[in-house]
């Protein structure tokens, strides 16, 4: 018997939050029963593409969604579902743009059409009017509504639908065992970083406006003035990295900041940190915060991030209106000891071992209902 193939719709399978969440679930699936395929909206290869192929998944490439190519894109979607009529479950993760994919899926007769919210804001850019249009176009194209948090659900689907109980919060779960604190790995990472006994502040995220690296550097500058033995490690890539590098050089911090690029050993890297710093302008429920907590870290984060992120009681929320100096004071006063948080994560539904079975059962139930109609 062939496995049921679930079509996941994303932008590109790089090492971002939602993509990592998807891979966490994918690896735990019984792939003799459930198999993932992917529509991506970039022509370049994603970081996870080779692993997806190794796990048996197919990747279909679509053009980037832009206001100027809406109608050609709609035609391509219609053609895709004509060419691949076997999909009974489409799970779309591209926030407001999911409305376009699910409209085509509905027209093609796909019975289970899941839209999944991973953000709590759009930010401000020139595409904002078009993104608002896409959100309004959601209508009844989905048959199911998922979100990474209650806040993310209200943002994309509205308060009325969220309060109705129709929005399912699917936790951004991680492999708790993999991330649990390990002193031996901590020593290895700190040796790699040449950290010694220094106070290591860590951040993992793309260099874009949302992650607020500009303010993050201001915070570290204030902290370093107080604690000269502190150092900052930054993992990730993005278009703002050159600007941040110049700022660090201008502030005389070059010898105290390490750029690590995209890493495939996040579970190990977190072991070497003392505090995780995350002053984002907006988020849904960041996977990396769950990972940091799984590693037993204290996290100092912006209060724009939903309180649902605090799964273990190890998050401290600070307003972005507070000064960089105030942030630095709070970081300096924060405990640097790692803790065993595995029980908290498991009891709150953030272990992929448990949650992957729930998601697999949900998919199979949807398929069974479609067959019985």
């Amino acid at each position: 018997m062939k496995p049921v193939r679930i079509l996941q719709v994303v932008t590109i399978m790089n090492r971002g939050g939602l993509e990592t969440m998807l891979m966490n679930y994918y690896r735990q699936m019984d792939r003799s029963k459930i198999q993932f395929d992917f529509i991506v909206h970039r022509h370049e290869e994603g970081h996870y593409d080779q692993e997806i192929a190794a796990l048996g998944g197919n990747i279909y490439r679509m053009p980037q969604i832009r206001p100027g190519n809406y109608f050609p894109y709609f035609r391509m979607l219609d053609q895709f579902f004509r060419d691949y009529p076997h999909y009974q479950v489409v799970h779309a993760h591209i926030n407001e743009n999911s409305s376009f994919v699910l409209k085509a899926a509905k027209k093609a007769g796909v019975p289970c059409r899941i839209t999944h919210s991973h953000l709590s804001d759009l930010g401000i850019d020139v595409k904002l009017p078009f993104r608002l249009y896409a959100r309004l176009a959601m209508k009844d194209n989905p048959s199911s509504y998922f979100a990474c948090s209650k806040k993310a659900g209200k943002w994309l689907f509205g308060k009325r639908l969220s309060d109705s109980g129709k929005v399912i919060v699917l936790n951004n779960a991680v492999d708790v065992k993999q991330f649990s604190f390990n002193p031996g790995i901590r020593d290895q990472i700190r040796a790699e970083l040449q950290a010694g006994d220094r106070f290591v502040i860590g951040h993992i995220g793309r260099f874009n406006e949302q992650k607020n690296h500009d303010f993050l550097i201001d915070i570290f500058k204030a902290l370093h003035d107080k604690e000269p033995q502190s150092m900052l490690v930054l993992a990730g890539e993005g278009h703002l990295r050159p600007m941040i590098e110049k700022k660090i050089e201008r502030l005389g911090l070059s010898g105290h900041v390490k750029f690590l690029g995209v890493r495939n050993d996040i579970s190990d890297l977190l072991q070497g940190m003392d505090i995780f710093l995350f002053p984002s302008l907006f988020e849904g429920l960041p996977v990396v915060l769950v990972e940091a907590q799984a590693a037993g870290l204290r996290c100092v984060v912006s209060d724009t991030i939903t309180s649902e992120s605090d799964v273990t009681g190890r998050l401290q929320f600070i307003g972005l209106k507070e000064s960089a100096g105030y942030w630095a004071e709070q970081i300096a006063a924060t405990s640097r000891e790692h803790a065993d948080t595995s029980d908290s994560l498991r009891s709150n539904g953030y272990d992929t071992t448990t949650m992957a079975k729930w998601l697999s059962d949900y998919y199979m139930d949807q398929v069974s209902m479609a067959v019985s109609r």
Side-chain angles (χ1 to χ4, degrees):
M1 183 177 175
K2 293 182 178 180
V4 173
R5 304 196 78 90
I6 310 298
L7 184 65
Q8 308 286 350
V9 184
V10 299
T11 300
I12 182 172
M13 285 304 291
N14 279 340
R15 294 185 186 277
L18 80 89
E19 297 85 2
T20 298
M21 177 275 294
L22 262 179
M23 294 304 295
N24 287 341
Y25 280 111
Y26 189 18
R27 296 181 189 111
Q28 294 286 342
M29 291 283 169
D30 180 347
R31 289 184 296 281
S32 68
K33 297 179 180 178
I34 295 278
Q35 181 57 258
F36 285 3
D37 294 331
F38 296 80
I39 284 181
V40 301
H41 292 84
R42 295 291 188 274
H43 288 294
E44 65 267 29
E45 182 175 307
H47 297 138
Y48 287 122
D49 285 10
Q50 292 185 20
E51 183 180 359
I52 289 168
L55 292 174
N58 298 310
I59 298 175
Y60 306 102
R61 300 193 184 278
M62 289 279 187
Q64 190 171 349
I65 305 172
R66 298 181 183 274
N69 77 342
Y70 278 167
F71 291 106
Y73 174 67
F74 296 161
R75 289 194 292 271
M76 291 181 71
L77 284 174
D78 289 341
Q79 186 61 52
F80 175 88
F81 286 110
R82 285 194 291 270
D83 292 341
Y84 301 98
H86 57 280
Y87 290 108
Q88 297 187 67
V89 179
V90 177
H91 192 158
H93 304 267
I94 49 178
N95 293 305
E96 72 283 354
N97 285 328
S98 296
S99 61
F100 303 141
V101 178
L102 298 183
K103 181 178 181 180
K106 183 179 182 181
K107 185 163 49 169
V110 177
C112 180
R113 306 173 304 278
I114 304 168
T115 178
H116 198 144
S117 177
H118 294 273
L119 287 177
S120 61
D121 200 340
L122 286 172
I124 303 296
D125 61 24
V126 295
K127 295 188 290 185
L128 182 60
F130 300 98
R131 300 181 77 179
L132 291 173
Y133 157 72
R135 188 167 66 172
L136 289 171
M138 193 74 69
K139 296 181 179 177
D140 59 349
N141 293 321
S143 60
S144 300
Y145 301 84
F146 281 19
C148 64
S149 67
K150 292 178 182 177
K151 186 176 181 180
K154 286 183 179 179
W155 166 73
L156 187 57
F157 309 129
K159 187 176 186 299
R160 180 181 297 178
L161 185 64
S162 294
D163 290 347
S164 72
K166 292 182 179 179
V167 178
I168 297 170
V169 174
L170 179 65
N171 293 334
N172 287 343
V174 302
D175 184 343
V176 170
K177 186 177 180 181
Q178 179 186 357
F179 282 86
S180 295
F181 180 60
N182 184 313
I185 293 176
R186 175 178 170 81
D187 291 343
Q188 293 172 20
I189 292 296
R190 290 182 74 89
E192 175 195 331
L193 297 173
Q194 298 178 315
D197 294 329
R198 298 182 73 178
F199 181 21
V200 178
I201 311 301
H203 176 85
I204 299 167
R206 280 188 57 78
F207 285 84
N208 61 16
E209 292 80 359
Q210 175 189 348
K211 301 302 180 183
N212 206 12
H213 283 86
D214 191 51
F215 185 54
L216 188 152
I217 300 305
D218 290 338
I219 296 169
F220 179 67
K221 169 62 174 166
L223 176 67
H224 192 264
D225 287 346
K226 294 175 180 293
E227 298 205 22
Q229 287 302 303
S230 59
M231 66 180 290
L232 175 66
V233 295
L234 300 170
E237 291 290 352
H239 70 283
L240 293 183
R241 175 171 167 171
M243 183 190 80
I244 297 301
E245 289 176 332
K246 289 178 182 176
K247 178 168 184 170
I248 288 169
E249 184 177 357
R250 188 172 69 250
L251 293 174
L253 294 170
S254 297
H256 308 286
V257 181
K258 290 185 181 290
F259 290 86
L260 305 182
V262 175
R263 301 279 294 223
N264 61 6
D265 62 343
I266 296 300
S267 59
D268 290 350
L269 181 60
L270 288 165
Q271 310 288 331
M273 300 175 184
D274 294 310
I275 297 290
F276 193 79
L277 177 58
F278 206 69
S280 291
L281 297 175
F282 58 89
E283 295 282 351
L285 194 152
V287 175
V288 72
L289 281 186
V290 181
E291 293 174 336
Q293 290 174 86
L297 281 167
R298 293 276 184 184
C299 306
V300 180
V301 307
S302 53
D303 66 358
T304 58
I305 297 171
T306 176
S307 60
E308 297 166 74
S309 300
D310 191 3
V311 185
T312 63
R314 297 185 71 78
L315 266 62
Q316 180 179 357
F317 297 91
I318 303 178
L320 290 174
K321 292 182 179 179
E322 299 289 351
S323 68
Y326 179 81
W327 278 71
E329 289 173 2
Q330 298 304 305
I331 292 169
T334 300
S335 169
R336 304 170 193 182
E337 292 185 3
H338 288 243
D340 182 353
T341 58
S342 54
D343 287 344
S344 293
L345 288 158
R346 290 190 177 103
S347 64
N348 284 295
Y350 280 87
D351 187 9
T352 48
T353 304
T354 302
M355 296 309 298
K357 184 180 185 309
W358 181 92
L359 183 59
S360 176
D361 289 345
Y362 183 88
Y363 287 147
M364 295 302 290
D365 287 347
Q366 297 298 308
V367 172
S368 296
M369 285 191 289
V371 171
S372 64
R373 287 182 186 132

